Amino acid sequence: MKESFKDYVSAELRSLRAEHNYKQKDVANKANIDVMTIVRYENNSTSMQLDMIEKILSVYDINLENFFSNISAKMQNNI
């Protein structure tokens, strides 16, 4: 079964956090959002809001355009 766009977003958020060796709590503190938001986004268990994704990405110094371009490339290559 092919993954949904949200599945790719969740996986990419988990991957970024792992690359930076952060715990979910670390990302939440740095982004100034609730840790449960990080948990739900990474587990794809809630509707995602673009402004919240942007806050999370600010922790990694990544902009939305690069983030979604990377996801698009992975989707095209089924990675």
Side-chain angles (χ1 to χ4, degrees):
M1 184 169 103
K2 290 193 183 231
E3 293 183 57
S4 73
F5 179 72
K6 280 180 57 179
D7 291 330
Y8 277 92
V9 171
S10 294
E12 192 65 17
L13 290 173
R14 285 190 308 273
S15 177
L16 283 169
R17 185 172 55 79
E19 285 174 25
H20 287 82
N21 243 1
Y22 289 153
K23 296 179 180 173
Q24 291 171 325
K25 184 177 178 179
D26 299 328
V27 176
N29 288 337
K30 290 176 183 289
N32 198 29
I33 57 178
D34 187 76
V35 69
M36 287 310 296
T37 299
I38 303 296
V39 170
R40 289 181 186 118
Y41 279 29
E42 288 187 3
N43 292 328
N44 191 12
S45 62
T46 191
S47 296
M48 297 181 190
Q49 298 176 345
L50 199 54
D51 63 327
M52 295 303 265
I53 293 173
E54 195 168 26
K55 283 184 176 187
I56 295 167
L57 295 178
S58 71
V59 172
Y60 310 115
D61 197 29
I62 296 174
N63 65 37
L64 286 171
E65 181 180 2
N66 289 339
F67 180 72
F68 288 118
S69 290
N70 190 33
I71 289 172
S72 178
K74 287 182 178 184
M75 288 178 76
Q76 289 176 357
N77 294 315
N78 277 334
I79 298 175

